[in-house]
Amino acid sequence: MRADQLIVNVNVYNSYYKRFEMNNVAVLDGRFLYVGPGGPEMIQADEVIDARGRYMIPGLIDIHLHIESTMVTPETFSHGLIGCGVTSIVAEPHEMANVFGLEGVQEMMAASRETTVDMFYAIPSSVPATPMETTGGSIEIEDMDVLLATGEIICLGEIMNYVDVIRDPECKTNQILQHIRKNYPDLVIEGHTPKLLGLDLHRLIYAGIDSDHTHQSIEGLQARIAAGMFIEIQEKSMTPEVMEYLIQHDVAQHFCFVTDDVMPDSLVEHGHLDHIVRKAIQMGMRPEDAVYAATSTPASRMKMTDRGSVAPGKVADYVLVSNLEELSIDQVYKNGRKAYDNSEPYKQERVIGQFPPHFYKSVQLDKLGVADFAIQLSDPKVSGAGVDLADEGEYQCRVMMVKDGSTFVEEHIAPIQSANGELLWEESGYAQIATFERYGVNGNRAHGLIGGDTIKRGAIATTYSHDNHNLLVVGRNREDMILASNTVISSQGGFCVVEDGKVLSHLELPVGGILTEEPLAVVSHQVKELRAAMLSLGYVHYNPIMSISTHSLAVSPALKITDHGLIDVNAGKVVSLIV
């Protein structure tokens, strides 16, 4: 029998029995041909690899992530993933879709076709995430039909606007769900159901949303599995109690591991899905079960019948591991060809111009000045529509309170003084948070107050603000806010951190205002510097970049801000700054 490749003396992971077995493995035409005791006496191969007793596991599969969260292009992302043993992903590009609509999705898909990692795509289902924000594009039902016709779509991406699904039968999201269930009944539908329980949870499942990747509690985990939901466990859900539950109960078919969002410095320093698997093992899960949750169950969830195990006919994506407990990755093979070797140089060349020219000119916003950061009492978003306030006085105001350990932001009410028709926010003890529509659509802007575990000095500006990606600015004084904002505007997007009139860090993201074409090693260093600069301003948060980026995420509790104004997320409505 002829084969392209024969791997001998290897501990092969058998997904069907969840155990390792010493065997030999043959590969032909990029697929596994044979797994068993037969060796060179039975199979003549062009390449023979002696694994010397190492472990072979299937290539890792991450079915819920956003490439834009790593701020790099698909090509750069693929370069980083391969070294982590990740060979297949399902990317949901709703960030780029919010900037460029259908074209944004199409161009992300186009940029992924020649990557080493197999990049499958989910249709962004919630663009914009809510009706209470302005974006550069949208995804409509007709756009979904266009994307599904390509044959490259594997699922409907996370349904984020769960409030409307429950409360408004005629909302856009329910129309999408009805269209998909009627016309594409076999398409997987992904969910986003933070903290929902009882009837509300069951109503979402009834609507076709049968997975959840948000922060899990034991109560929520049990309720979801009992109702038939599939759970995607990301790192923030890997609490001791949740991991103990997954270890002790027979629920292996009902969950998998995912990353969702990974910062570039974290990817370089800690890894990707391999980091999650490694952590699960360290927390007491058997390696065989941890590998299963990053290979077999994600493949099954997304109906990837051609991968997820080392078995005849499956795609020959595999990882050779020297230390199973530490998941020490030696080599990674994609379609039977070596794609990574930890003993060989692994460098990435910079490639520019991967997107159309107008993708580098998406920030349509004039430079800002002192007046742009005045909080005027006459602004309906401040006082409420039709409400007249005295030019001077004390007003009870809503304040967004940041809390370390979560991207949720709580609402706090505080008295704020005013004079000459403006809130005296610089003397209030709170920072200002402001957002400016940057697509040239309507010129909307909104102002709010923010406190808690946020900056105590200086200012931060960014166009990397989920999901609308308008310009978002947090600052303690107008001068620093102006410099940070205008620096970002000048570079066509990114992050800028300023203190006392000095730029401490500037990360340029010129592709749609959210991506860079710099190599991963460069971006990792820049993001590490950015994080340090943010913390130097007094930001107290485990992930300050994700924290500030989600201040405009109007589907994440409890008080957020968009260009429409302050958003009461749980009520699903715009509220005024002054109560």
Side-chain angles (χ1 to χ4, degrees):
M1 182 188 302
R2 188 193 73 81
D4 296 324
Q5 187 182 71
L6 179 65
I7 306 97
V8 299
N9 302 320
V10 63
N11 267 303
V12 184
Y13 179 66
N14 186 299
S15 303
Y16 309 105
Y17 282 103
K18 293 189 204 171
R19 69 189 182 202
F20 285 91
E21 301 169 338
M22 184 63 76
N23 269 316
N24 300 324
V25 178
V27 174
L28 178 64
D29 296 333
R31 292 179 179 268
F32 294 115
L33 170 65
Y34 168 79
V35 181
E41 77 287 348
M42 186 176 78
I43 300 170
Q44 292 75 53
D46 298 334
E47 179 186 23
V48 177
I49 301 170
D50 187 350
R52 303 185 304 278
R54 288 179 294 173
Y55 300 89
M56 176 187 285
I57 63 173
L60 305 183
I61 301 172
D62 193 336
I63 63 170
H64 187 102
L65 60 79
H66 312 284
I67 296 173
E68 303 97 317
S69 294
T70 313
M71 307 180 198
V72 296
T73 62
E75 179 63 39
T76 298
F77 195 56
S78 173
H79 176 87
L81 291 179
I82 283 294
C84 299
V86 180
T87 55
S88 300
I89 64 170
V90 177
E92 205 261 66
H94 68 253
E95 315 294 1
M96 193 62 82
N98 273 280
V99 181
F100 289 113
L102 174 63
E103 185 186 19
V105 180
Q106 292 171 324
E107 290 299 332
M108 286 292 285
M109 292 169 65
S112 304
R113 291 191 183 115
E114 301 301 321
T115 59
T116 302
V117 171
D118 286 335
M119 295 188 175
F120 300 94
Y121 272 83
I123 298 178
S125 63
S126 304
V127 179
T130 73
M132 301 173 291
E133 58 198 300
T134 303
T135 59
S138 66
I139 298 294
E140 307 298 330
I141 289 177
E142 55 267 29
D143 298 324
M144 296 183 176
D145 290 334
V146 170
L147 291 169
L148 283 160
T150 66
E152 299 177 55
I153 297 297
I154 202 165
C155 68
L156 181 66
E158 59 182 298
I159 301 292
M160 299 184 70
N161 196 1
Y162 58 91
V163 174
D164 277 2
V165 173
I166 295 169
R167 299 181 182 176
D168 183 3
E170 301 304 317
C171 73
K172 175 182 173 181
T173 305
N174 275 322
Q175 293 176 28
I176 289 170
L177 285 168
Q178 292 162 11
H179 179 78
I180 294 297
R181 293 179 71 182
K182 177 182 178 181
N183 297 286
Y184 310 96
D186 295 327
L187 191 69
V188 174
I189 300 175
E190 290 286 272
H192 173 106
T193 61
K195 297 186 176 182
L196 287 187
L197 293 169
L199 179 58
D200 284 347
L201 176 65
H202 286 216
R203 288 175 68 182
L204 282 179
I205 298 172
Y206 181 83
I209 304 165
D210 62 351
S211 79
D212 182 33
H213 70 280
T214 60
H215 195 171
Q216 298 296 327
S217 64
I218 292 296
E219 181 185 22
L221 187 69
Q222 290 176 316
R224 281 156 176 71
I225 292 176
M229 245 187 179
F230 185 82
I231 309 300
E232 295 163 4
I233 299 290
Q234 55 176 297
E235 186 170 14
K236 65 184 178 183
S237 289
M238 296 176 72
T239 59
E241 56 271 20
V242 166
M243 290 305 297
E244 184 65 18
Y245 186 90
L246 297 177
I247 292 168
Q248 295 299 328
H249 292 79
D250 184 18
V251 294
Q253 302 303 322
H254 305 292
F255 82 94
C256 73
F257 292 127
V258 299
T259 57
D260 197 9
D261 302 300
V262 176
M263 292 285 115
D265 57 336
S266 179
L267 175 55
V268 169
E269 294 177 11
H270 304 295
H272 196 260
L273 191 59
D274 60 318
H275 167 67
I276 302 294
V277 175
R278 199 173 291 117
K279 183 171 182 176
I281 295 170
Q282 293 168 352
M283 295 183 74
M285 184 173 281
R286 289 195 322 141
E288 294 85 349
D289 294 330
V291 169
Y292 191 79
T295 55
S296 185
T297 46
S300 177
R301 165 67 184 170
M302 288 297 163
K303 303 179 182 178
M304 297 178 177
T305 57
D306 65 342
R307 65 196 68 208
S309 62
V310 180
K314 305 294 185 182
V315 174
D317 294 350
Y318 64 91
V319 183
L320 293 179
V321 174
S322 53
N323 185 313
L324 192 59
E325 295 293 329
E326 297 178 3
L327 202 71
S328 303
I329 295 173
D330 290 350
Q331 285 96 30
V332 180
Y333 285 78
K334 184 75 187 73
N335 299 318
R337 295 178 179 272
K338 187 164 68 174
Y340 170 81
D341 190 319
N342 69 353
S343 66
E344 299 174 357
Y346 188 61
K347 297 181 179 180
Q348 180 194 1
E349 299 297 325
R350 182 174 182 241
V351 180
I352 61 172
Q354 300 176 54
F355 291 85
H358 63 280
F359 273 53
Y360 304 86
K361 299 178 181 179
S362 66
V363 180
Q364 304 297 318
L365 187 61
D366 292 333
K367 296 285 185 70
L368 301 177
V370 173
D372 294 303
F373 294 99
I375 303 182
Q376 302 282 353
L377 297 178
S378 58
D379 183 350
K381 294 172 186 172
V382 173
S383 60
V387 177
D388 293 323
L389 300 176
D391 283 352
E392 297 187 15
E394 181 180 272
Y395 295 101
Q396 298 296 314
C397 295
R398 292 181 170 90
V399 182
M400 296 169 58
M401 296 299 287
V402 180
K403 187 176 181 180
D404 187 15
S406 175
T407 55
F408 295 167
V409 175
E410 298 175 353
E411 179 181 307
H412 175 67
I413 306 298
I416 307 295
Q417 297 292 327
S418 69
N420 300 318
E422 297 181 15
L423 284 180
L424 301 178
W425 65 271
E426 287 175 285
E427 295 81 30
S428 69
Y430 298 103
Q432 183 185 156
I433 181 168
T435 185
F436 301 83
E437 185 272 313
R438 57 101 162 177
Y439 301 104
V441 175
N442 52 35
N444 276 356
R445 57 185 60 192
H447 304 270
L449 299 171
I450 190 164
D453 294 333
T454 187
I455 60 172
K456 308 303 183 290
R457 302 172 296 281
I460 304 170
T462 184
T463 50
Y464 185 81
S465 53
H466 302 302
D467 277 343
N468 50 70
H469 298 295
N470 287 310
L471 178 68
L472 184 76
V473 195
V474 173
R476 289 285 176 170
N477 65 81
R478 302 186 198 206
E479 291 74 19
D480 285 349
M481 294 178 82
I482 293 167
L483 177 57
S485 299
N486 290 340
T487 302
V488 170
I489 291 170
S490 297
S491 63
Q492 279 295 308
F495 274 93
C496 184
V497 180
V498 171
E499 183 178 12
D500 295 332
K502 179 183 178 182
V503 174
L504 303 183
S505 178
H506 179 205
L507 171 64
E508 298 186 25
L509 300 173
V511 183
I514 58 175
L515 301 183
T516 174
E517 292 179 313
E518 294 292 338
L520 184 60
V522 174
V523 184
S524 171
H525 176 75
Q526 292 175 331
V527 168
K528 195 170 183 178
E529 180 186 76
L530 170 66
R531 190 189 308 275
M534 295 174 73
L535 294 174
S536 77
L537 299 185
Y539 217 127
V540 182
H541 203 279
Y542 78 100
N543 190 342
I545 297 173
M546 187 58 66
S547 171
I548 196 169
S549 299
T550 53
H551 288 348
S552 55
L553 185 58
V555 294
S556 176
L559 185 67
K560 297 297 176 75
I561 190 170
T562 74
D563 63 299
H564 285 217
L566 290 173
I567 309 298
D568 182 331
V569 175
N570 294 328
K573 66 179 183 179
V574 179
V575 293
S576 60
L577 173 57
I578 295 175
V579 179

